[in-house]
C-alpha cells in the first residue's frame, strides 16, 4: 500500500525545479566581510549562517569547504555564508531589544538561522524547464540598499518583502514596509537575489552591479537576461522568521507606526538587505541544479547530495569575536544607531 502510494506520487509529481533547505544560526555578530572587510566590529549587527570559516576578512581565493570544519546548513556540502541584518523592537521608552529568530516551517527544531531556496524556474512551476548555471568559488553578491527609506527606493529591488504571519504557514500578503500590526506567529522576511550574471566578475565594488534582473518580465516568467548580463543563474531566495510574539504584549507606537527597527536604524523596513558568499564544495550546487528534483526531497537522491541532521546543523556555531551586549535592553543599537523613520522635516 505504502509502495503504491509512493510510486503513484513519483509518477504524478513532475520533476521539480526548486531546492529548499534550512541553515541554523552560525553566529549573531557585528562582522561583515563583504561590505566592511577587516572591520571588527563592522557597522551593524548581522545574523550569519553556513560554514564556520566565516570571518571579518575572507579572501575570495580561499576554498571555503577546505577552510571550514562544519556547516550549519542542512546540505552538508554547502559551506557558503548567507547573512542579513537583525531586527530590534523599539519600546515606547526608547529602549531596543533584539528580536530572536525561529527555525522555519518544517525546520522547527533548527536554532534560528534562515531558509535557502535555489530555483531554476518559478517556485510553483513543477516542471524543470531551464538549465541554470551555478555560482563558482569566489562569487559574492548583495541585494538591497541600507539607505533606502521610501517605497520608491526599495522598488529598485524586486521582492524584498515582509509577511505578517497570523498562522505559521501564512505567506501572503507581502509588503515592502514593516508590518504595523501585531502578527500572531511572527514576521517573515523574504529576499530574492537578481538572477542574471555578467559572466565575468565574481564580485563588483558595490557587490551588485555584476548581477542584473531579467530584461523583461521576471525570472519566474522566464524573462530573458540583458546582453550585459547574459548568464542565467539560479534564483537564490532567503526566508527569515522573526519571533516577534513576545513583543505583542508590550505597548506599540500610538501613531500606528511599526515598532521594528533594523540593526542599522532603518525603522521603515525599506532597507531590507542580504549578503551571499558562495562556498559549495566542488560541483555540488551544479549537480543539484541539474537534477530533476522537487524541494521536499532536497534532491538528495536525484543529485547524490548529502544532508545532515538538524542536531548537527545546530552544533555548528561560532563564538562572536566582538565583545559587546547585543541582547539586553539597549539605549542605542550596537554601533550607535537610533531609529530612523526617514521623514524629512522642513
Ligand atoms: C579569523 O581570522 C583571524 C585573523 O586572521 C584568525 O586568527 C581566526 O582564527 C579566524 N577565525 C576563524 C573562525 O577562522
Ligand atoms: C523600557 O521598556 C521595556 C519594555 O517595557 C523595559 O523592559 C525596559 O526595562 C525599559 N527600559 C528602561 C531604561 O526603562
Amino acid at each position: 500500500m505504502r509502495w503504491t502510494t509512493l510510486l503513484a506520487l513519483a509518477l504524478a509529481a513532475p520533476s521539480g525545479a526548486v531546492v529548499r533547505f534550512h541553515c541554523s544560526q552560525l553566529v549573531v555578530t557585528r562582522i561583515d566581510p563583504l561590505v566592511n572587510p577587516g572591520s571588527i566590529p563592522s557597522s551593524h549587527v548581522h545574523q550569519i549562517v553556513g560554514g564556520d570559516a566565516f570571518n571579518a576578512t575572507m579572501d575570495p581565493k580561499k576554498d571555503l569547504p577546505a577552510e571550514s570544519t562544519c556547516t550549519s546548513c542542512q546540505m552538508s556540502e554547502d559551506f557558503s555564508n548567507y547573512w542579513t541584518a537583525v531586527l530590534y523592537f523599539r519600546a515606547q521608552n526608547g529602549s531596543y531589544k533584539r528580536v530572536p529568530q525561529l527555525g522555519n516551517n518544517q525546520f522547527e527544531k533548527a536554532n534560528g538561522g534562515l531558509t535557502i531556496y535555489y530555483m531554476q524556474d518559478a517556485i510553483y512551476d513543477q516542471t524543470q524547464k531551464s538549465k541554470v548555471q551555478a555560482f563558482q568559488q569566489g562569487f559574492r553578491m548583495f541585494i538591497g540598499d541600507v539607505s533606502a527609506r521610501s517605497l520608491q527606493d526599495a522598488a529598485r529591488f524586486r521582492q524584498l518583502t515582509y509577511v505578517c504571519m497570523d498562522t505559521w504557514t501564512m505567506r501572503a500578503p507581502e509588503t515592502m514596509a514593516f508590518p504595523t500590526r501585531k502578527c500572531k506567529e511572527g514576521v517573515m522576511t523574504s529576499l530574492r537575489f537578481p538572477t542574471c550574471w555578467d559572466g565575468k566578475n565574481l564580485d563588483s565594488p558595490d557587490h551588485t552591479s555584476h548581477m542584473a534582473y531579467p530584461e523583461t518580465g521576471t525570472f519566474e516568467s522566464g524573462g530573458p537576461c540583458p546582453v550585459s548580463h547574459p548568464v542565467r543563474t539560479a534564483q537564490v531566495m532567503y526566508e527569515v522568521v522573526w519571533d516577534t510574539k513576545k513583543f505583542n504584549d508590550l505597548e506599540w507606537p500610538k501613531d500606528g507606526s511599526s515598532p521594528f527597527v533594523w540593526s542599522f536604524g532603518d525603522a521603515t523596513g525599506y532597507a531590507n538587505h542580504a549578503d551571499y558568499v558562495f562556498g559549495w564544495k566542488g560541483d555540488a550546487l551544479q549537480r543539484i541544479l541539474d537534477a530533476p528534483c522537487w524541494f521536499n526531497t532536497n534532491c538528495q537522491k536525484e543529485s547524490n547530495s548529502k544532508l545532515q541532521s538538524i542536531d548537527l546543523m545546530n552544533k555548528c556555531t561560532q563564538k562572536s569575536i566582538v565583545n559587546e551586549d547585543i541582547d539586553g535592553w539597549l539605549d542605542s543599537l550596537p554601533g550607535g544607531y537610533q531609529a530612523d523613520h526617514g521623514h524629512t522635516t522642513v
Side-chain angles (χ1 to χ4, degrees), residues 89 91-97 250-251 329-331:
F89 174 87
Q92 285 309 285
N93 61 13
S95 299
Y96 301 92
K97 178 88 178 157
L250 299 180
E251 208 183 318
W329 282 97
L330 308 171
D331 294 338

Side-chain angles (χ1 to χ4, degrees), residues 249-315:
D249 299 334
L250 299 180
E251 208 183 318
W252 278 40
K254 289 188 182 62
D255 64 0
S257 64
S258 168
F260 300 113
V261 184
W262 281 119
S263 50
F264 48 95
D266 172 32
T268 64
Y270 292 126
N272 195 4
H273 69 271
D275 302 69
Y276 176 91
V277 170
F278 173 86
W280 285 77
K281 198 171 185 173
D283 68 347
L285 179 58
Q286 190 70 60
R287 243 171 35 231
I288 288 168
L289 294 174
D290 290 346
C293 49
W294 184 237
F295 67 88
N296 285 330
T297 71
N298 288 311
C299 306
Q300 187 177 10
K301 191 161 109 304
E302 297 86 340
S303 64
N304 188 28
S305 53
K306 295 172 194 71
L307 302 190
Q308 63 177 348
S309 67
I310 291 186
D311 277 351
L312 280 174
M313 289 159 59
N314 288 346
K315 279 192 188 124

